[in-house]
Amino acid sequence: MEENRELEFPAFPYEPYSIQLDFMKFLYRSLDRGGISMLESPTGTGKTLSMICSALQWLVDRKKLGSLGKNGKESSGGGTEDDDEPDWMRNFVPNKEPDLAERKNLMQKKKNGVRSKGKEEIVRDLFSASAGEDRGEKANDKEVRNARGKIGVDEVDDDEFLLEEYDSEGENGGKLKRKDVGANDVFTSEEEVEEEGLGEEEVEAQLKIYFCSRTHSQLSQFMKELRKTKFASELKVVCLGSRKNFCINEDVLKLGNATRINERCLELQKSKKNEVSKMKKLGAGKRVRGSKSSSGCPMLRRRKIEELRNEIIQLEALDIEDLVQIGRNLGSCPYYGSRRMVHMADLVVLPYQSLLSKSSRESLGLNLKDSVIIIDEAHNLADTLISMYDAKITVSQLNQLQTHLNGYFRRFRNLLGPGNRRYIQTLIILTRAFLQMLSDDRKVVNPTDTPCDADEIKNSSSSTMTINEFLFALNIDNINLVKLLQYMTESNIIHKVSGYGDKVAISQKVVAVGDDEVVSEEESAVSGFRALADILSSLTNNDTDGRIIVSRAKQTCSGLEGHIKYVMLNGEKIFSEVVDQAHAVILAGGTLQPIEETKERLFPSLQLDRLPFFSCGHIIPSENILPVVVKHGPSGRSFDFSYKSRRSSTMIEELGLLLSNLVTVVPEGVVVFFSSFDYESLVHDTWKASGILFRIMKKKRIFREPRKTTDVEAVLREYKETIDALSMGDPMGCNGAILFAVVGGKISEGINFSDGAGRCIVMVGLPYPSPSDIELIERVKHIEGLEKTILGKNLNASTDAECHNGDVEAGFQILKSCKGRGKEYYENLCMKAVNQSIGRAIRHVNDYAAILLVDARYASDSTKRSCSHSTDKLPQWIKSRLVATTPNYGEVHRLLRQFFKSHKKKEATDKDFNSKK
């Protein structure tokens, strides 16, 4: 496409502003160019609509030219078989319909339990000496079969939990050896029979756009904007989401927790075959009916899914709520129904995690080759990406696993083949070792020369280790974790052991209380097994990619607490898997500044001057915003909310005097952001005791952000209703409301405070993350170490050698020793949080608000600065209008009074003008 030709965007439903045109043109040309680009447009400037009209216009134009058609025909399969969807869906491969013989062959393999694996080259033994044990496996086969044949009718319920024999000698890794036909034989399911009829497969869309955002509400907003354009009816669009948002099975929804909903959904799918077969064959010739719990999900009938898909095709772009409603009407699962649409869609709308996680991509069948990926709200992309690869297992989960594994092994030891016995014993060894690591009396000493004091490690509640240090400390470095994970995937041990353990636990409770209806309220061991699998998988990463954090077990009022957690530090390799496949990746957001932090963590090899970056101003006129640095309080004290000073009574009192003055001059709503919930509570209680809170309440009603996110919506609703009511006049002299919020909380991101809800935003201090955060400090050390590697310096410098165990002073010492990228990253985290919070106020062209940055550290004289300053990292539309220094608070008060007086006068003039029209 010609670079200089005039671009037009006829789908834009309004007359676009100049900055919107500039944004759309930059995005269009970025898609032409390919690679990574970043676009920043303040919230309230029509960013979402601009992205839709530009990107989808490019898609339409590109499809007309057909220049990418040849590259877009690859099947979206690409992934391994996964138990994350029904069998009939998993075996469906778009545009690659097998012939009849091949389909029968696939079905026969499936019946025989053969599952393909992606790592066929991994054939090492579990232990170095395991070859000798494996040689005795065949000799034991007959003994095991004979033992199984002696199972009585009374033990039939236990027999269903018995594992199939497992052969770890196969060249393709482990595999099930289903030589017997008897107690464990399962008939061919109805779903397998229906696979014979799969013939009418749609053609894979040649070019796709994937649009991602962080939350489901943001995706719903995207769909709402999409419907304003012609593309909603011209293109095929599908919206993906989580099971928790899509599930319409009331029995499953009652579980509430997303993890439990996921597990129950998968359990229902695994039990489907047993129910469809109607009967189980028993070795003794007896037959029993499948249990009701094994009936599968009634929403997953193949014909219903097809009916849902056909219904979706007939309608234009549907969001999650629409899909759920249609699913309820048809009695068909909208979660799997939407997934059925992916291969034929032009535009796929989905959450971050579904696209960024490799396992999720493979499960959903997402084909990223030559596609376009647009990631909105990209300011948290790096943290979101690496957090998806974190893994954590708690002491309670380990105790439950230990109990279940020991009980299962005692019950079935004589019935299991040597392969199963060996792997189960290995799992028992691992859980025992992890529990010993978490015990209070265990001293953790790194195998290498540790710079940390041994007493400090022993007395601390947490410590960090590399992967190798962790493996060596527990003496488990000789275990082939890859092969063990393969066994856990193929053998179905997770559901067998969990099912048996849950049954024993329930029966014990029934005996204890004599009630046949008792149901165990304990969380299923399945979640513990998945947590263990995640930890073991993390231990197969490169030693430098992450850190192990051991938080030792301690007794609290809520029970025994403690955990082992793997923290991923390196997001570059993960993100490169996406970038290398896609034609173009667009990172968009309202506030992406400072962009260096995102670049350094996700694509450090890309030079900053070669990274296309677009940042536009705001659509509001300059007089509609008043950003001011507040250096002094009303009594003349200098504001210092650094970690060591912010808790002083004088500083809290001075802040109270400031707000007491502000509520007299600022109309309607004021939002005050504190650095943490603990600090907000301290300030609130101090003001309440001193009477300052009462003075504030004379002018504005006070609201506080709740710690529980589920309560936030109710508080916000009451806050806004109060402002609307008081704007009509109040005989008591109250002129609005004030909301105490927390940086990094629910209110600081994604909440709109337009018009009267946010006439003034007050940022208290610079919200640097706490140095007691072990994960944060490890990340800082890692990023600082990257620079040393590039510069060829010694990695054993002080920042990489210091030990940090959750102590604030130790954290400060590490931060002080950082001089390069680690320091920059820490500062950028602070300013990103500031930018997100203060960006909540201005939401449309006629909106106006004041922004107060309350701390002397914000103040600066640009003529005397020789290095960068924190205010340099503010968004350009705020920085260009910032009043960076004032002689005293009196000047700040004068500016505020003048600002709101002029806008009140303008509103009165506009109202009078409109009434005369």
Side-chain angles (χ1 to χ4, degrees):
M1 298 186 182
E2 297 179 11
E3 182 73 20
N4 297 322
R5 76 176 178 87
E6 186 63 28
L7 298 175
E8 296 180 354
F9 305 97
F12 202 86
Y14 314 111
E15 184 67 28
Y17 297 107
S18 60
I19 62 171
Q20 291 171 335
L21 277 174
D22 292 340
F23 182 97
M24 289 189 285
K25 290 177 180 178
F26 186 91
L27 175 56
Y28 192 102
R29 290 184 173 124
S30 295
L31 297 181
D32 262 351
R33 184 170 50 245
I36 304 173
S37 299
M38 299 181 72
L39 291 88
E40 178 184 69
S41 181
T43 306
T45 57
K47 169 174 59 70
T48 302
L49 194 56
S50 298
M51 283 193 295
I52 290 170
C53 294
S54 178
L56 297 185
Q57 186 63 53
W58 179 88
L59 177 68
V60 170
D61 294 346
R62 199 76 165 188
K63 281 181 175 291
K64 287 179 181 178
L65 289 175
S67 56
L68 278 184
K70 293 181 181 180
N71 294 328
K73 291 184 179 178
E74 290 197 10
S75 165
S76 65
T80 60
E81 285 192 20
D82 197 306
D83 62 0
D84 192 30
E85 63 182 9
D87 294 335
W88 67 266
M89 287 187 64
R90 184 172 64 234
N91 286 275
F92 162 66
V93 181
N95 208 30
K96 284 191 176 182
E97 181 187 352
D99 57 29
L100 183 61
E102 186 178 351
R103 275 185 285 164
K104 288 183 177 179
N105 184 41
L106 288 172
M107 288 176 60
Q108 189 60 42
K109 283 186 176 182
K110 184 178 175 184
K111 293 174 189 176
N112 293 336
V114 178
R115 304 188 61 165
S116 60
K117 298 301 293 178
K119 296 184 177 180
E120 294 183 353
E121 73 280 8
I122 303 175
V123 292
R124 303 184 187 90
D125 291 329
L126 181 64
F127 299 105
S128 57
S130 64
E133 295 181 30
D134 287 343
R135 280 193 290 271
E137 186 168 335
K138 292 183 180 180
N140 288 316
D141 286 348
K142 186 175 181 180
E143 176 187 343
V144 171
R145 287 197 299 273
N146 290 337
R148 286 180 175 173
K150 296 177 182 178
I151 297 175
V153 178
D154 294 338
E155 295 178 325
V156 66
D157 287 341
D158 285 356
D159 183 56
E160 69 176 292
F161 300 114
L162 185 60
L163 284 162
E164 294 288 344
E165 295 174 49
Y166 190 83
D167 178 14
S168 62
E169 288 185 326
E171 293 184 0
N172 293 327
K175 62 180 179 181
L176 298 180
K177 299 197 306 179
R178 301 191 179 183
K179 299 177 181 178
D180 311 340
V181 177
N184 296 290
D185 182 42
V186 179
F187 290 125
T188 302
S189 75
E190 180 183 344
E191 304 292 356
E192 287 178 329
V193 173
E194 287 182 344
E195 285 174 7
E196 293 284 358
L198 285 179
E200 70 292 342
E201 312 305 355
E202 296 80 3
V203 176
E204 173 82 16
Q206 294 183 344
L207 177 61
K208 279 183 174 39
I209 290 182
Y210 294 94
F211 177 87
C212 313
S213 196
R214 198 167 56 88
T215 65
H216 287 97
S217 61
Q218 289 164 343
L219 295 178
S220 295
Q221 179 63 29
F222 176 88
M223 298 298 287
K224 182 180 178 182
E225 295 295 302
L226 175 64
R227 290 197 195 103
K228 296 178 181 178
T229 73
K230 64 178 183 179
F231 298 122
S233 56
E234 290 183 356
L235 298 175
K236 293 178 181 177
V237 182
V238 63
C239 189
L240 303 181
S242 67
R243 283 183 176 86
K244 184 176 182 180
N245 287 84
F246 268 130
C247 183
I248 58 173
N249 186 328
E250 296 299 332
D251 291 335
V252 177
L253 275 176
K254 289 177 183 177
L255 297 173
N257 179 274
T259 301
R260 298 184 69 186
I261 288 174
N262 289 340
E263 290 172 359
R264 183 57 181 152
C265 178
L266 297 177
E267 287 171 7
L268 287 174
Q269 292 173 40
K270 284 183 175 296
S271 65
K272 178 63 179 173
K273 286 185 181 180
N274 293 339
E275 174 63 17
V276 173
S277 63
K278 302 289 193 289
M279 297 285 190
K280 289 183 178 180
K281 274 192 176 181
L282 300 179
K286 304 287 184 179
R287 301 167 76 90
V288 297
R289 288 202 173 273
S291 65
K292 188 175 180 180
S293 63
S294 298
S295 61
C297 181
M299 313 299 172
L300 273 175
R301 301 290 184 264
R302 185 185 189 281
R303 285 180 293 274
K304 288 290 187 181
I305 294 289
E306 291 297 325
E307 188 179 347
L308 175 62
R309 186 204 62 173
N310 294 334
E311 182 80 10
I312 295 172
I313 292 174
Q314 302 302 319
L315 302 171
E316 64 180 43
L318 304 172
D319 63 15
I320 291 175
E321 288 73 21
D322 298 325
L323 290 168
V324 168
Q325 187 57 51
I326 295 174
R328 289 188 188 280
N329 294 339
L330 297 177
S332 177
C333 178
Y335 176 75
Y336 284 111
S338 60
R339 287 171 58 155
R340 190 78 169 81
M341 286 281 295
V342 168
H343 68 283
M344 60 188 295
D346 301 301
L347 172 64
V348 181
V349 182
L350 69 170
Y352 273 3
Q353 291 83 347
S354 299
L355 184 129
L356 297 176
S357 168
K358 184 177 181 180
S359 60
S360 294
R361 289 198 304 273
E362 292 178 345
S363 172
L364 292 169
L366 303 184
N367 180 14
L368 303 187
K369 185 171 176 59
D370 293 329
S371 62
V372 168
I373 298 170
I374 299 176
I375 301 176
D376 196 16
E377 300 296 324
H379 58 280
N380 282 330
L381 176 60
D383 286 329
T384 302
L385 183 67
I386 61 177
S387 67
M388 288 190 299
Y389 288 84
D390 288 351
K392 177 181 176 181
I393 190 166
T394 64
V395 65
S396 60
Q397 287 175 321
L398 286 167
N399 279 325
Q400 186 185 41
L401 287 178
Q402 187 83 338
T403 300
H404 278 37
L405 285 166
N406 284 332
Y408 185 88
F409 192 69
R410 283 194 301 269
R411 169 66 184 82
F412 296 103
R413 179 171 187 169
N414 295 329
L415 304 177
L416 294 171
N420 281 317
R421 284 203 300 267
R422 185 169 59 253
Y423 282 118
I424 292 174
Q425 286 175 316
T426 302
L427 289 171
I428 292 173
I429 290 170
L430 284 171
T431 54
R432 184 185 302 134
F434 288 171
L435 283 169
Q436 287 176 339
M437 172 69 80
L438 289 172
S439 63
D440 286 325
D441 58 349
R442 180 182 177 89
K443 184 190 296 184
V444 180
V445 180
N446 295 341
T448 56
D449 292 333
T450 172
C452 304
D453 182 78
D455 291 332
E456 182 183 354
I457 293 180
K458 183 178 179 180
N459 296 328
S460 67
S461 61
S462 302
S463 60
T464 61
M465 314 173 80
T466 66
I467 293 175
N468 287 341
E469 288 170 348
F470 182 77
L471 295 174
F472 290 140
L474 293 183
N475 196 27
I476 57 175
D477 55 297
N478 61 332
I479 296 178
N480 188 327
L481 297 178
V482 173
K483 202 166 185 180
L484 179 60
L485 286 165
Q486 184 176 336
Y487 168 76
M488 293 177 70
T489 301
E490 294 183 346
S491 66
N492 201 25
I493 186 175
I494 291 178
H495 291 276
K496 294 287 188 179
V497 174
S498 299
Y500 177 73
D502 291 343
K503 178 206 166 189
V504 170
I506 292 173
S507 64
Q508 289 174 347
K509 286 194 174 186
V510 170
V511 171
V513 300
D515 185 357
D516 291 339
E517 300 299 323
V518 169
V519 178
S520 174
E521 296 181 356
E522 294 182 10
E523 189 171 355
S524 170
V526 172
S527 61
F529 264 114
R530 293 192 185 279
L532 177 63
D534 288 341
I535 282 288
L536 297 180
S537 179
S538 299
L539 295 176
T540 64
N541 288 324
N542 292 334
D543 190 49
T544 56
D545 285 348
R547 289 289 184 275
I548 299 293
I549 297 176
V550 179
S551 179
R552 280 168 189 74
K554 55 186 177 182
Q555 192 68 40
T556 66
C557 57
S558 58
L560 193 63
E561 293 183 354
H563 63 262
I564 295 172
K565 183 174 183 179
Y566 174 81
V567 180
M568 177 69 78
L569 300 176
N570 184 8
E572 179 186 2
K573 290 188 291 186
I574 303 169
F575 193 59
S576 66
E577 294 177 356
V578 174
V579 174
D580 291 346
Q581 294 182 65
H583 164 70
V585 177
I586 305 296
L587 307 185
T591 48
L592 294 182
Q593 297 280 14
I595 65 171
E596 294 84 359
E597 185 263 341
T598 300
K599 187 198 82 69
E600 291 297 341
R601 295 179 64 191
L602 295 181
F603 34 93
S605 58
L606 183 63
Q607 296 296 320
L608 192 61
D609 57 0
R610 300 190 65 181
L611 173 64
F613 176 67
F614 174 88
S615 180
C616 65
H618 215 294
I619 56 177
I620 61 167
S622 59
E623 62 269 17
N624 280 26
I625 182 175
L626 178 65
V628 183
V629 172
V630 183
K631 184 177 180 180
H632 300 96
S635 64
R637 294 190 184 98
S638 178
F639 281 122
D640 178 11
F641 291 99
S642 60
Y643 188 82
K644 293 183 178 180
S645 303
R646 66 186 181 191
R647 304 181 76 89
S648 70
S649 57
T650 55
M651 198 54 51
I652 295 175
E653 180 185 359
E654 192 70 17
L655 179 62
L657 294 176
L658 170 66
L659 288 183
S660 298
N661 280 272
L662 288 181
V663 295
T664 64
V665 68
V666 178
E668 302 178 288
V670 177
V671 184
V672 184
F673 283 103
F674 296 91
S675 57
S676 67
F677 279 105
D678 289 340
Y679 188 58
E680 186 273 340
S681 295
L682 173 65
V683 170
H684 179 273
D685 294 345
T686 304
W687 287 348
K688 186 176 182 179
S690 65
I692 289 178
L693 210 61
F694 179 73
R695 291 171 57 182
I696 295 174
M697 292 173 64
K698 284 184 177 181
K699 282 293 183 181
K700 295 191 186 292
R701 280 193 61 187
I702 295 176
F703 294 86
R704 303 171 66 188
E705 178 174 0
R707 290 179 183 260
K708 290 180 63 176
T709 56
T710 53
D711 297 335
V712 170
E713 187 175 342
V715 172
L716 286 174
R717 188 189 314 113
E718 189 177 355
Y719 166 74
K720 293 178 180 179
E721 288 174 354
T722 299
I723 292 171
D724 292 339
L726 293 177
S727 64
M728 306 301 293
D730 181 67
M732 303 298 293
C734 209
N735 66 355
I738 186 168
L739 174 62
F740 297 159
V742 174
V743 175
K746 178 79 172 179
I747 288 176
S748 68
E749 293 196 32
I751 303 297
N752 295 341
F753 291 103
S754 59
D755 300 317
R759 288 301 180 210
C760 183
I761 305 292
V762 180
M763 173 58 63
V764 179
L766 282 91
Y768 284 103
S770 172
S772 64
D773 186 338
I774 297 180
E775 296 180 30
L776 167 71
I777 297 301
E778 287 299 323
R779 202 159 284 135
V780 169
K781 289 162 59 178
H782 175 74
I783 293 172
E784 183 79 3
L786 290 178
E787 184 180 50
K788 291 184 175 67
T789 304
I790 294 172
L791 296 177
K793 295 182 179 180
N794 183 9
L795 278 174
N796 292 322
S798 60
T799 56
D800 206 53
E802 295 201 44
C803 183
H804 179 255
N805 298 299
D807 179 69
V808 172
E809 288 303 322
F812 270 125
Q813 290 302 316
I814 293 173
L815 290 171
K816 287 178 181 178
S817 65
C818 292
K819 306 298 181 183
R821 291 181 179 177
K823 176 184 177 183
E824 186 77 8
Y825 165 68
Y826 187 65
E827 293 175 348
N828 287 341
L829 285 179
C830 170
M831 290 310 298
K832 277 208 312 182
V834 170
N835 292 341
Q836 282 299 307
S837 300
I838 64 179
R840 300 298 94 205
I842 304 296
R843 315 305 291 180
H844 58 84
V845 66
N846 295 318
D847 207 355
Y848 64 92
I851 297 173
L852 305 184
L853 305 175
V854 185
D855 198 302
R857 291 173 292 173
Y858 284 112
S860 66
D861 185 347
S862 58
T863 61
K864 298 180 181 179
R865 288 207 322 250
S866 58
C867 58
S868 63
H869 190 264
S870 57
T871 54
D872 292 337
K873 297 173 181 179
L874 291 170
Q876 183 60 37
W877 64 279
I878 294 179
K879 182 170 60 176
S880 62
R881 304 167 193 181
L882 180 68
V883 180
T885 182
T886 52
N888 49 52
Y889 172 73
E891 177 64 14
V892 174
H893 199 83
R894 185 190 69 79
L895 289 171
L896 289 170
R897 185 178 293 278
Q898 182 179 345
F899 177 76
F900 289 111
K901 183 179 180 181
S902 65
H903 280 284
K904 185 176 182 180
K905 183 178 179 181
K906 183 177 183 297
E907 285 179 338
T909 303
D910 292 342
K911 185 177 181 180
D912 183 59
F913 175 77
N914 292 330
S915 65
K916 292 179 180 179
K917 288 177 67 176

